[in-house]
Amino acid sequence: MSMVLIDDTLPISSEPQNQGQTGGCSPSSGPKDQKEVHVPSITVVLFVKDKALLPVIRSAGDIVLIKSATLQSYNNEPQILCNRRSSVVVIHPAQYRGPGVELHDSASSHDWKLSCSCHEDSANAAHPHIDWQLTNSLWRWGQRRISSDPTMSPHCKISIGGLEPAENVEVNVSGDLTAAVTAIIPVPYHLRRRDTPRGYLRLWDGSGPPRSDQLPPEIVGYNQAVEDPPEQVLVKIDKVLRSLSSNIVSPITVTGRVINVTIWEEELWQLINKEGIIQVGSSSLTPLPFDAYEVQQMLKDHDIRIKRGATLNPSSGVLPGKALLPMNKSTKQQQQPRFPLLGECIHYAIPSTFTTQFHISRTIPNFNPSFNNAMLNFCSKNRNGSVGYRFAFHIVDDSTEIDVLCLGAVAEKLIGTTAQTVVASETSRKKAVETLNDIMTPGYLFEGEIRSVMGKDSKVYYILKAMKCLQDDSCYI
């Protein structure tokens, strides 16, 4: 078992995110929040023979008390290693904190619960050395910190929308996924064997195509849910947004994909099914407070999709007391043409040309506007000795993300000058940096014509043919 710890001696780093280094995880996509920077922390490693002897962490933000551990360095990072003599106690308030519940504030031992490693006594009286005033202060600081700033590394973010297979090839990604658990579905006891799952979780994060994956065949007949996500999820989202005093309007229904997560381990299933602690969690199944920064971002991103007119999930439940209004044919939204999603376009026959809408999340190679010579990385020599642009945009929409090459005359129209001029003139380089930096403004929505081709290496490449910015009509190629 490993735990990642933070306290008030590890402040948020002010270093900007380096999108060129992903640390082996799938990079995040879409416009970046300035707060999403490096998150300093320290890892605790704990070994036991039986998982039942591990302390139970109810939620991110729980307090951890460690005694007789070893501080060491691993991969040039500090690490706390627990051994046989070590003692680990996890502390959290006795009352679960949900929407509408005031932040816990008590230094009385009777208002806290303990979970200990190995065979230690979990009774509060058995741990007189615990400073309950310090515990209360740390817990309150942690709750405010988790709500206001990211806890998980922005370099390892993934979304359900990023799990879409391309060209009928299954994807295999690793990273941090923040999602709402919409259902906990056990496999009937009489169908369980050593080689069968214990149960399933249904996850939703507001991204991906508007559909709910089919339930595994062994539980279809035992699950009577008609709505997915169900009405209760819409009610929970409404309570969370009201508690946060958010400007986001509670969704009447949702868009995005609902997926299955398989739980194989009996110990993990017992924790999920009996403890009932899984409400909103990450890919490591760590429950998050309802107002965690990552949860707020998930709901903000979903709100943006809804306002943009994303197709709603037909299986989704409806917020009680609300009704979906029929679309007025005269509305501006319906007059606008419906562009295919990138997730649809990548399945078109090759070669093909399509027009779609998207955001630009980054460039390849990475673009750093603070350097006047940044544009030189986007220029390369052609076979005839001339210099031309050669770079790519990483574009995203509600369904998936792809790399689109920007070459030749198209790149010249976009930048406003030739690559030869950029190489020869410092003034032209500065102007080109300003132009590209304006294009990379977070939140800008683009409409582009893209051509798919098959390369000599039998790989599919996407080439930008034309593009205009819907926020700034002057940016047009």
Side-chain angles (χ1 to χ4, degrees):
M1 175 185 183
S2 65
M3 296 180 287
V4 178
L5 303 185
I6 60 173
D7 68 6
D8 53 4
T9 67
L10 292 172
I12 294 295
S13 169
S14 60
E15 297 178 359
Q17 175 179 334
N18 182 355
Q19 294 179 352
Q21 299 177 353
T22 61
C25 298
S26 300
S28 58
S29 61
K32 301 292 185 295
D33 191 298
Q34 291 183 346
K35 286 189 175 183
E36 298 198 359
V37 291
H38 175 59
V39 183
S41 61
I42 187 169
T43 300
V44 179
V45 180
L46 177 64
F47 297 96
V48 294
K49 293 183 179 180
D50 188 342
K51 289 185 178 181
L53 301 178
L54 291 171
V56 176
I57 298 176
R58 186 175 69 176
S59 176
D62 285 359
I63 304 301
V64 180
L65 174 63
I66 304 173
K67 296 173 58 180
S68 303
T70 302
L71 179 63
Q72 64 181 20
S73 177
Y74 182 77
N75 286 342
N76 296 321
E77 293 288 342
Q79 184 184 84
I80 296 177
L81 178 64
C82 297
N83 50 47
R84 294 181 180 179
R85 299 186 303 275
S86 302
S87 169
V88 180
V89 180
V90 178
I91 312 170
H92 54 252
Q95 182 183 10
Y96 176 78
R97 178 174 176 250
V101 178
E102 293 186 4
L103 194 62
H104 184 85
D105 187 9
S106 173
S108 171
S109 62
H110 300 292
D111 295 328
W112 298 87
K113 284 188 175 182
L114 307 182
S115 177
C116 305
S117 61
C118 300
H119 298 286
E120 291 186 80
D121 190 347
S122 294
N124 293 14
H127 301 273
H129 55 279
I130 295 179
D131 185 336
W132 296 106
Q133 185 65 50
L134 176 61
T135 298
N136 183 61
S137 299
L138 273 175
W139 190 85
R140 290 176 59 84
W141 171 86
Q143 296 300 303
R144 291 190 291 266
R145 158 66 175 75
I146 292 172
S147 176
S148 62
D149 294 282
T151 301
M152 291 179 281
S153 170
H155 302 305
C156 296
K157 285 187 177 180
I158 59 174
S159 66
I160 291 176
L163 303 179
E164 285 296 296
E167 299 298 328
N168 297 320
V169 177
E170 292 186 1
V171 295
N172 184 8
V173 297
S174 60
D176 295 328
L177 169 67
T178 300
V181 177
T182 66
I184 301 175
I185 307 174
V187 172
Y189 188 79
H190 67 279
L191 296 179
R192 295 184 186 179
R193 299 188 305 273
R194 290 184 178 180
D195 59 345
T196 59
R198 305 296 97 175
Y200 298 88
L201 301 181
R202 301 281 282 177
L203 295 187
W204 169 88
D205 69 351
S207 68
R211 71 166 189 264
S212 297
D213 290 2
Q214 294 183 349
L215 293 171
E218 65 267 27
I219 62 173
V220 170
Y222 298 90
N223 185 69
Q224 304 300 322
V226 177
E227 300 173 338
D228 197 6
E231 175 186 295
Q232 294 88 332
V233 172
L234 277 297
V235 173
K236 181 66 177 291
I237 292 174
D238 178 59
K239 289 181 178 179
V240 169
L241 293 175
R242 290 176 182 272
S243 180
L244 293 173
S245 300
S246 172
N247 293 327
I248 301 175
V249 178
S250 298
I252 299 176
T253 187
V254 302
T255 185
R257 180 183 175 190
V258 180
I259 63 172
N260 297 305
V261 172
T262 307
I263 307 298
W264 292 91
E265 299 180 8
E266 181 65 32
E267 293 85 357
L268 180 56
W269 178 250
Q270 293 301 323
L271 179 65
I272 294 171
N273 196 35
K274 291 185 178 181
E275 295 289 339
I277 61 172
I278 301 296
Q279 298 294 330
V280 179
S282 68
S283 58
S284 59
L285 292 180
T286 301
L288 300 177
F290 74 92
D291 58 349
Y293 178 87
E294 287 80 7
V295 176
Q296 296 182 52
Q297 287 300 120
M298 179 185 74
L299 296 178
K300 287 179 182 178
D301 291 343
H302 178 260
D303 183 60
I304 291 173
R305 288 194 67 184
I306 292 294
K307 290 178 178 178
R308 200 185 298 162
T311 304
L312 301 176
N313 187 329
S315 301
S316 172
V318 177
L319 186 65
K322 304 291 184 179
L324 294 176
L325 299 177
M327 183 67 72
N328 188 339
K329 293 184 179 181
S330 62
T331 62
K332 180 179 179 181
Q333 183 177 10
Q334 189 150 2
Q335 292 175 354
Q336 295 177 345
R338 192 272 184 185
F339 291 93
L341 297 172
L342 286 173
E344 302 172 40
C345 299
I346 61 176
H347 294 291
Y348 291 171
I350 301 170
S352 63
T353 301
F354 53 86
T355 301
T356 185
Q357 293 183 349
F358 51 83
H359 291 282
I360 299 176
S361 69
R362 65 181 186 276
T363 62
I364 305 170
N366 188 48
F367 173 64
N368 188 341
S370 62
F371 294 101
N372 291 333
N373 293 331
M375 290 303 300
L376 295 180
N377 295 329
F378 292 68
C379 303
S380 62
K381 282 190 176 183
N382 300 319
R383 292 181 179 179
N384 59 8
S386 63
V387 178
Y389 288 114
R390 187 174 182 84
F391 62 95
F393 289 121
H394 187 79
I395 65 173
V396 301
D397 70 358
D398 297 330
S399 62
T400 191
E401 49 194 87
I402 62 173
D403 295 330
V404 177
L405 294 172
C406 189
L407 311 169
V410 172
E412 291 179 357
K413 290 181 180 179
L414 175 66
I415 303 300
T417 185
T418 65
Q420 189 72 43
T421 304
V422 166
V423 172
S425 169
E426 182 178 355
T427 302
S428 297
R429 285 199 294 274
K430 290 182 179 180
K431 185 176 181 181
V433 168
E434 293 175 356
T435 300
L436 187 55
N437 188 48
D438 182 61
I439 293 172
M440 298 299 295
T441 301
Y444 271 12
L445 181 66
F446 294 87
E447 179 182 316
E449 181 181 330
I450 299 171
R451 176 77 172 171
S452 65
V453 297
M454 182 69 70
K456 294 181 179 180
D457 54 1
S458 299
K459 293 182 179 179
V460 179
Y461 293 89
Y462 298 96
I463 302 174
L464 185 66
K465 307 300 291 184
M467 182 175 78
K468 68 176 180 179
C469 179
L470 301 183
Q471 274 82 8
D472 181 3
D473 291 335
S474 63
C475 175
Y476 182 85
I477 62 172

